Amino acid sequence: MEESQDHILNEVTGGEYKYGFITDIETETIPKGLNEDVVRLISAKKKEPDFMLEFRLKAYRHWLTMKMPQWAHLTIPEIRYQDIIYYAAPRQQVGPKSLEEVDPELLRTFDRLGIPLEEQKMLSGVAVDAVMDSISVKTTFRETLAELGIVFCSMSEAIREYPELVKKYLGTVVPYTDNYFASLNSAVFSDGSFCYIPKGVRCPMELSTYFRINAANTGQFERTLLVAEDDSYVSYLEGCTAPMRDENQLHAAVVEIIALENAEVKYSTVQNWYPGDRNGKGGIYNFVTKRGICKGDNSKISWTQVETGSAITWKYPSCILRGNNTIGEFYSVAVTNNYQQADTGTKMIHIGKNSRSTIISKGISAGHGQNSFRSLVKVVKSADKVRNFTQCDSMLMGDKCGAHTFPYIEVENESAVIEHEATTSRIGEDQIFYCNQRGIDTENAVGLIINGYAREVLNKLPMEFAVEAQKLLAISLEGSVG
Amino acid sequence: MLQIKDLHVSIDGKEILKGIDLEVKAGEVHAIMGPNGSGKSTLAAALAGREMFAVTKGSVTYMNENLLELSPEDRARKGLFLGFQYPVEIPGVSIVNFMKTAINEHRKFKGLEPISASDFLKHMREKKELVGLTSSLTNRSVNEGFSGGEKKKNEIFQMAMLEPILAILDETDSGLDIDALKIVAQGVNQLRRKDNATIVITHYQRLLEYIVPDFVHVLYKGRIVKSSGKELALELEEKGYDWIKTEE
Ligand SMILES: Nc1ncnc2c1ncn2[C@@H]1O[C@H](COP(=O)(O)OP(=O)(O)OP(=O)(O)O)[C@@H](O)[C@H]1O
Ligand SMILES: [Mg+2]
C-alpha cells in the first residue's frame, strides 16, 4: 500500500506535465469525419444491439440541428468536426479475459501512469477500469465484485451483457437532446464504465476508471453510467491524462448517476488532461456533461472534482434532487494556469421536499488563466424547506489572470433558505516570506498555501487520490510565482 | 557568529537603517530596545532576507559566511530564526503539516532523510510541553484565528522545533500575559546553549528579568546610539528614551 502510494507520488512529482508520453502501439482507426455511416460503423464494431444503434442515430440527427453553445465565458477556437477521428482502438482482442491476453505495451503504459493492472500490484481496495482511446483495456477485480452482485465493467460489455439495465437507465438523466456535446457523445460514444450496485450492498472497494487518450487526431467520447439501487453505497473515482501534442483534442464525455432510495454515491474526479504548453499551444478541450439524480427519498450524491488539466474545461456536475430529504453536494478545485480556461460549476435542482445542497468551489487562476464559476440553484414550487449553502472562493496569482463568478438562483418556494458566500484572495508576499523564513522555498510555499486554501475540497477525496491531488495542485502552479 | 558592519537598509528608496554595527558571539543574548519606528523590525527582516528591505551598504557575516548572499530559506536552513512581531495566518495549513514540511526542508538541506512520523510526533510532543501549547492549537491552521498571545507562543514553539543557532525574537513578549511570558522566557532559556545566540527585541524591561541579556542596545532613528550591560534596560524603563535623544 505504502509502496504504491510512493509510486504515485514519484510519478506526479518532478514538475511539468508528467504524462505527456505517447505509447507506440498498433491502433485501429476509422477514417476521420462524421456521418451516419460512421455512427453505424462504431455501433457495428461494438456489436451492439439494435436499440443502441437507434439511440445513436436519433442523437446524431438531433445533433445536426444544434449549434455549439456560446454562453460560457470561454474563447473556443473553431472545432472542425469533420477532421476528428471518432474511433481509435489499440489493436487487441475484444474484452480480454485474462491479463495474459492484454498487450504488454498497454500494461506498461498504465504502469507508467501509476495504474498497475495486475491485481496484486494495485492499491488494495481499488478496482480499476482502464480505458485507452475508444476502448476499455481491462477491468480489475471484476470477479470479487461479482460475488456481491456488483457489476463493474466497460460500457461496451454492459451493452452486450446487461442490455436490459442499460436500456432502462441510459439517457434518463442526460437525454440525447440535452446539449450540443451530450448529443454528440450519445451519437459516437465509444467506451466508458458501467457500474451497478444491487439493493442493500455497500461496495467494499473504491471503483475507478482511468481514461487515457493516446492516438493523435482522435476525439474521446466516453460514457459512464452508474446505478445505485435502494440502500446501497459506492465511491467512484475517475482519473485522466493525455500525451502532449500540439493539436487540440476534443474530449466530450457524459456521466449519468441514478441513486435510488437511501442510496449514496460519491463521485470523485482528478482531471489532468494535457493542458497545453506555456504559450497555450495544444491541450485537450474538455466538454463534459455530468449529472446525477437522487431519485429515491433520502438518497445522496456528492461530486468532488480537482480540475488541473485541459486547455478548456466546460463542465457542470449537477444533481437533480427529486426524492424527499435528498442531499446533493459539489466540491470543486479548478486551476487555470498559463493560457488555460475553465468555466465550471454545478446545478442543484431541488424538487423533493427537505432536500439540501452544498456547493464549495475553490478557483485558482495563475498566468493568463481564466477561471469562471457558474452555478444554478433552483427550487420548484412544491419543494418545501429546501436548504442550500454555496461558497465560492477565488484565488488570483499574478495580474494577468481572471476569476469570474456567475451564481444563478431561481426560487419558487418561500420556505427555502439559500445562503451564498464569495471571497477573492491572493497569496500574500508576507505568507511566502513566513514560509521562506522557516526554510521552505517559494515553490513549496505556494504549494503549501494552495493546498491549505483547497483543503476543504481535498479532504473529500478518498485517501489514495488526496495525496496525488495535492502534488498535482502544486505542480500545475509551478513557475507561476516569483 | 554574527558581525554586522555599517549596515544601511532602505524600503522603497527610503533609508531606514543608517549604519548599524553589531557583533554577536556564540552563547550571548543581546537585547535591542528603542522607540517605535526606530528600525528594530527592519533590522530583523533585513537579516532574515526579506526582499523589500534592500541592503544598500555594509556587510553581514554569519558563521563566517556572507549572509547577504543567501536566500531567505537558506538563511533559515543554516539556523537563523526570526520570531515575527506580526505572525501571518496561513488558512487551511495545519501547524503539524507546516512544521513537518519545515523540518524536512531543514533535513534535506543537511542531506538527511525525511523525519519518520513517530520521531516527528515525539519531537513535537516534547516541544509543545516546553512552551505549554495544547494539541487543540497545534491541530489548527497556522495562526488562523489565534489570539495575539497564542500567535507569539506559536513562534516560540516553532523556534523550539527548529532548534536555531541564531534566534531573533521581535517583540515576542508583547501581547503575552505574565504566565505566558514566564513560560516563553523559560522556553528560551532552556534552549540556550554555548553554541547558539539570541537577539531579543523588546520594549519592556520585564522580559529581560527572565531572559537576562549580556548586552542591551538602543536603536534610534536607524542607528545604535547606545550599548551597555543589562542595567541599561532598567535605566530606560525609569527614564524613557528622552535622555538618549538629547544626548545625541
Ligand atoms: N513595508 C514598509 N513600507 C514602508 N515603510 C516601512 C515599512 N516597514 C517599515 N517601514 C518604516 O520603517 C521605519 C522603521 O520601522 P520598523 O518596523 O523597523 O520599526 P520598529 O523599531 O520595529 O518599531 P516598533 O517598535 O513599532 O515595532 C518606520 O518609519 C516604518 O514606518
Ligand atoms: Mg517592530
Side-chain angles (χ1 to χ4, degrees):
Chain A
M1 173 92 181
E2 209 158 63
E3 213 168 73
S4 338
Q5 282 204 7
D6 282 350
H7 177 65
I8 292 180
L9 274 183
N10 289 338
E11 279 285 303
V12 191
T13 46
E16 294 298 307
Y17 190 73
K18 260 294 201 179
Y19 306 112
F21 65 90
I22 296 166
T23 306
D24 185 13
I25 192 162
E26 205 185 328
T27 302
E28 179 198 359
T29 55
I30 61 173
K32 67 179 186 183
L34 184 55
N35 52 48
E36 277 204 19
D37 288 342
V38 167
V39 175
R40 285 175 199 280
L41 185 60
I42 292 171
S43 186
K45 284 210 172 290
K46 299 199 160 288
K47 303 189 174 66
E48 288 176 349
D50 287 345
F51 83 90
M52 268 317 306
L53 178 61
E54 287 298 301
F55 179 86
R56 288 176 182 278
L57 288 171
K58 275 192 288 187
Y60 175 68
R61 287 166 195 152
H62 186 78
W63 180 72
L64 288 175
T65 68
M66 301 172 92
K67 280 210 173 63
M68 204 159 117
Q70 299 294 336
W71 46 262
H73 190 84
L74 298 169
T75 312
I76 307 174
E78 196 204 337
I79 297 171
R80 284 197 287 276
Y81 291 93
Q82 294 307 334
D83 288 347
I84 294 172
I85 295 169
Y86 287 85
Y87 184 88
R91 219 182 271 281
Q92 70 158 354
Q93 271 177 282
V94 177
K97 287 282 171 294
S98 69
L99 264 189
E100 287 79 61
E101 292 174 28
V102 179
D103 188 315
E105 194 56 38
L106 285 177
L107 292 183
R108 264 197 297 281
T109 299
F110 283 96
D111 256 344
R112 278 182 79 179
L113 297 170
I115 317 288
L117 297 178
E118 293 93 331
E119 291 184 3
Q120 63 276 19
K121 270 207 216 162
M122 298 194 43
L123 294 176
S124 52
V126 183
V128 175
D129 181 21
V131 177
M132 178 127 115
D133 296 329
S134 304
I135 65 159
S136 165
V137 172
K138 170 82 185 142
T139 310
T140 62
F141 292 111
R142 272 185 75 161
E143 292 74 22
T144 322
L145 293 167
E147 283 165 22
L148 294 164
I150 296 171
V151 180
F152 179 46
C153 63
S154 72
M155 196 64 179
S156 313
E157 286 166 287
I159 290 169
R160 286 191 302 268
E161 290 169 32
Y162 307 93
E164 290 314 311
L165 278 177
V166 174
K167 204 170 173 178
K168 183 168 173 193
Y169 290 108
L170 189 78
T172 59
V173 194
V174 180
Y176 68 82
T177 51
D178 193 79
N179 68 72
Y180 190 78
F181 298 111
S183 296
L184 178 62
N185 174 285
S186 300
V188 301
F189 76 83
S190 39
D191 220 334
S193 302
F194 174 77
C195 165
Y196 174 83
I197 315 290
K199 191 168 171 185
V201 172
R202 248 190 103 81
C203 184
M205 45 175 84
E206 306 278 347
L207 301 188
S208 106
T209 305
Y210 195 90
F211 294 105
R212 173 74 176 170
I213 296 179
N214 187 57
N217 305 316
T218 58
Q220 177 146 320
F221 306 93
E222 83 262 358
R223 183 105 194 177
T224 296
L225 177 60
L226 221 151
V227 181
E229 289 275 11
D230 295 353
D231 306 304
S232 66
Y233 166 86
V234 64
S235 168
Y236 191 91
L237 325 167
E238 176 198 271
C240 24
T241 58
M244 295 194 220
R245 294 184 191 278
D246 287 346
E247 313 83 43
N248 297 106
Q249 276 178 286
L250 178 62
H251 169 252
V254 172
V255 176
E256 296 177 276
I257 299 176
I258 294 106
L260 300 173
E261 219 172 293
N262 299 319
E264 180 178 351
V265 178
K266 286 174 72 168
Y267 194 105
S268 314
T269 305
V270 175
Q271 187 265 107
N272 187 23
W273 293 118
Y274 177 53
D277 71 7
R278 266 171 212 289
N279 304 311
K281 199 168 170 54
I284 303 293
Y285 293 162
N286 188 37
F287 302 149
V288 171
T289 306
K290 290 183 168 175
R291 195 175 302 149
I293 181 165
C294 287
K295 207 166 178 178
D297 291 349
N298 312 314
S299 55
K300 175 176 175 182
I301 294 176
S302 306
W303 297 101
T304 303
Q305 59 172 21
V306 176
E307 303 279 316
T308 60
S310 299
I312 306 178
T313 294
W314 179 99
K315 176 180 171 190
Y316 316 90
S318 302
C319 298
I320 300 169
L321 301 167
R322 206 173 78 194
N324 295 329
N325 312 312
T326 48
I327 298 176
E329 294 177 333
F330 174 75
Y331 299 98
S332 167
V333 178
V335 178
T336 50
N337 194 3
N338 299 318
Y339 284 87
Q340 282 176 275
Q341 308 174 57
D343 192 306
T344 185
T346 184
K347 288 189 238 179
M348 293 290 172
I349 314 294
H350 292 263
I351 300 168
K353 294 183 181 29
N354 255 319
S355 53
R356 283 165 287 155
S357 61
T358 304
I359 300 171
I360 309 276
S361 161
K362 305 270 179 178
I364 302 162
S365 323
H368 293 80
Q370 292 294 328
N371 208 318
S372 303
F373 167 76
R374 190 181 298 277
S375 67
L376 170 66
V377 176
K378 187 180 165 93
V379 180
V380 306
K381 212 170 183 122
S382 58
D384 294 330
K385 301 212 170 111
V386 161
R387 292 199 63 125
N388 161 266
F389 174 74
T390 300
Q391 184 185 325
C392 153
D393 297 328
S394 311
M395 182 174 275
L396 296 165
M397 299 169 74
D399 52 10
K400 294 185 186 68
C401 56
H404 320 272
T405 57
F406 306 96
Y408 300 94
I409 297 172
E410 292 171 18
V411 178
E412 292 168 12
N413 183 309
E414 279 185 5
S415 65
V417 180
I418 311 286
E419 288 174 86
H420 183 95
E421 287 176 13
T423 67
T424 302
S425 56
R426 286 176 184 279
I427 297 186
E429 177 271 339
D430 50 351
Q431 288 175 318
I432 290 181
F433 180 68
Y434 191 80
C435 295
N436 288 162
Q437 213 302 304
R438 299 304 184 242
I440 303 166
D441 65 25
T442 300
E443 292 283 13
N444 283 323
V446 170
L448 202 65
I449 295 166
I450 287 292
N451 276 304
Y453 164 76
R455 185 158 84 163
E456 255 177 292
V457 175
L458 297 177
N459 277 350
K460 298 287 170 188
L461 288 175
M463 249 304 280
E464 295 84 356
F465 263 30
V467 181
E468 185 181 11
Q470 281 184 24
K471 289 284 164 191
L472 198 54
L473 271 189
I475 285 165
S476 55
L477 288 165
E478 239 167 49
S480 53
V481 161
Chain B
M1 174 181 293
L2 181 76
Q3 291 94 22
I4 305 174
K5 288 200 180 112
D6 193 28
L7 184 70
H8 291 247
V9 172
S10 309
I11 308 169
D12 293 336
K14 186 178 157 228
E15 184 158 87
I16 309 289
L17 298 185
K18 300 167 181 164
I20 301 279
D21 291 282
L22 181 68
E23 171 151 18
V24 178
K25 294 203 180 80
E28 293 177 346
V29 173
H30 289 243
I32 297 180
M33 304 181 80
N36 294 131
S38 55
K40 302 181 298 294
S41 296
T42 303
L43 176 61
L47 292 177
R50 193 162 187 167
E51 206 175 274
M52 64 210 263
F53 294 77
V55 174
T56 52
K57 201 178 160 200
S59 69
V60 182
T61 311
Y62 168 69
M63 307 290 285
N64 304 317
E65 248 187 297
N66 180 355
L67 182 74
L68 302 177
E69 274 180 353
L70 300 174
S71 66
E73 57 271 23
D74 279 351
R75 297 180 197 199
R77 293 162 184 166
K78 286 175 186 260
L80 189 146
F81 179 89
L82 171 60
F84 287 79
Q85 182 174 4
Y86 306 109
V88 298
E89 303 188 357
I90 310 183
V93 179
S94 70
I95 292 188
V96 178
N97 187 15
F98 183 67
M99 271 293 102
K100 200 164 169 192
T101 309
I103 282 185
N104 282 334
E105 288 296 320
H106 281 248
R107 290 177 66 92
K108 195 161 92 194
F109 189 70
K110 293 191 184 102
L112 298 171
E113 292 287 301
I115 191 167
S116 75
S118 60
D119 283 352
F120 177 75
L121 289 175
K122 191 164 151 261
H123 187 58
M124 180 130 166
R125 211 177 307 121
E126 238 175 73
K127 303 303 180 186
K128 255 165 38 185
E129 248 163 56
L130 189 74
V131 287
L133 217 59
T134 59
S135 296
S136 59
L137 211 59
T138 48
N139 287 331
R140 276 164 58 182
S141 301
V142 178
N143 294 324
E144 198 183 23
F146 284 24
S147 74
E150 286 168 343
K151 283 184 183 170
K152 296 302 172 74
K153 272 198 199 173
N154 184 25
E155 293 295 292
I156 296 300
F157 165 70
Q158 293 180 40
M159 175 179 98
M161 290 292 285
L162 296 171
E163 300 175 324
I165 293 169
L166 175 64
I168 304 167
L169 304 177
D170 192 356
E171 298 199 25
T172 304
D173 53 335
S174 53
L176 290 180
D177 60 45
I178 285 283
D179 292 339
L181 185 74
K182 280 187 199 163
I183 292 170
V184 163
Q186 231 171 50
V188 172
N189 287 331
Q190 282 184 32
L191 295 169
R192 246 173 117 163
R193 293 195 314 257
K194 273 208 285 297
D195 56 353
N196 62 17
T198 312
I199 298 174
V200 285
I201 296 171
T202 181
H203 285 291
Y204 306 105
Q205 144 70 15
R206 204 179 56 188
L207 176 69
L208 304 179
E209 280 174 16
Y210 301 106
I211 307 175
V212 182
D214 301 294
F215 300 93
V216 176
H217 311 276
V218 177
L219 192 63
Y220 179 60
K221 288 191 175 165
R223 288 196 180 87
I224 290 180
V225 293
K226 202 164 180 64
S227 294
S228 185
K230 62 173 189 272
E231 62 291 345
L232 178 58
L234 269 174
E235 213 174 334
L236 289 170
E237 181 102 333
E238 263 170 43
K239 302 199 218 162
Y241 291 109
D242 279 350
W243 62 283
I244 288 180
K245 292 181 192 171
T246 47
E247 230 175 53
E248 188 197 27

